[in-house]
Amino acid sequence: YGGRQWLHFFLNNPLENIEQIKETQQTLQRIIAVNAAWTPLITNGTLMVIEKFFEIPVAEIPSRPGIVSTYLYRLFSTSDFSLIRYSVKHCIDFIKGMHEMSVLLSDEKNPPLLRKLMERTDLLLNKSFLQNIIHQKHNSISEILSAGQYMRRQFKQEMLELIEICCRLDAYFSMAAACIK
């Protein structure tokens, strides 16, 4: 939905000068160049789950979930635990997807528009907690609760900003796909 909104914005707000037009053309050319290599992990469903995760109230997640606190949370807050586990898995997929997109689109020769988006993405993802998530394969129950606590308490605004960047890039990918066709 956010990508559709950005696409609508881009198409209904003509660029004001030749530099903006050229920069947008260069951005689309860069995306076209990597389009075949792009296999997105990020779906509309993933974005919807993440946005709902931040809106829905849940029982307080233990700040440092250990074996006992994780077990107690899972026992006494079963539905909240299920929601957190489901949502965190989507958050992890999203973070990994944004990392893959950043790796794919990072290039010193990027036009300024794309360079700014990728630099901001890299900055937002350059947190040690997130780097551990990006490179981990398996997540224990206590790690999932830790990630849920981190996402909701310390990374909410950054996650919403990453979603906005993702939506904007989605609009550019749509324009690039239209150019290809």
Side-chain angles (χ1 to χ4, degrees):
Y1 181 73
R4 190 177 318 141
Q5 285 180 318
W6 271 107
L7 184 60
H8 186 264
F9 175 81
F10 291 148
L11 296 177
N12 285 313
N13 295 288
L15 300 173
E16 297 177 3
N17 58 53
I18 194 73
E19 290 82 25
Q20 289 177 332
I21 293 169
K22 286 181 180 180
E23 189 174 355
T24 300
Q25 288 174 335
Q26 291 167 350
T27 298
L28 295 178
Q29 288 170 347
R30 175 73 176 114
I31 290 172
I32 289 169
V34 299
N35 191 46
W38 176 238
T39 54
L41 285 177
I42 302 167
T43 65
N44 289 336
T46 293
L47 297 179
M48 289 172 47
V49 167
I50 294 169
E51 289 171 345
K52 292 294 179 195
F53 176 58
F54 291 122
E55 295 172 6
I56 296 174
V58 295
E60 186 65 32
I61 302 169
S63 60
R64 292 190 180 138
I67 295 170
V68 174
S69 60
T70 299
Y71 176 75
L72 292 174
Y73 191 85
R74 190 174 180 185
L75 181 66
F76 292 114
S77 303
T78 305
S79 60
D80 289 345
F81 174 76
S82 295
L83 173 76
I84 291 166
R85 181 174 54 193
Y86 182 74
S87 300
V88 165
K89 288 188 184 284
H90 280 279
C91 289
I92 290 169
D93 287 345
F94 175 71
I95 289 166
K96 287 181 177 182
M98 287 301 291
H99 173 72
E100 284 182 13
M101 191 181 304
S102 176
V103 168
L104 183 68
L105 290 173
S106 291
D107 190 335
E108 293 175 5
K109 298 174 189 170
N110 276 345
L113 188 151
L114 188 58
R115 189 175 335 118
K116 284 182 218 171
L117 289 173
M118 293 300 90
E119 286 173 357
R120 185 66 185 155
T121 299
D122 290 342
L123 182 67
L124 292 170
L125 293 176
N126 193 25
K127 311 261 189 268
S128 61
F129 193 90
L130 297 179
Q131 290 300 310
N132 289 336
I133 287 174
I134 289 168
H135 300 294
Q136 267 182 338
K137 298 282 185 225
H138 304 287
N139 301 98
S140 70
I141 293 170
S142 60
E143 289 170 334
I144 288 171
L145 281 179
S146 289
Q149 169 73 8
Y150 178 79
M151 301 288 174
R152 286 179 70 99
R153 298 283 178 235
Q154 298 173 327
F155 199 69
K156 179 181 177 180
Q157 293 305 334
E158 292 89 343
M159 183 69 90
L160 294 174
E161 186 177 349
L162 280 170
I163 289 172
E164 192 64 26
I165 292 169
C166 178
C167 292
R168 193 169 177 178
L169 289 170
D170 183 49
Y172 286 123
F173 269 96
S174 294
M175 288 190 286
C179 290
I180 292 169
K181 287 182 181 179

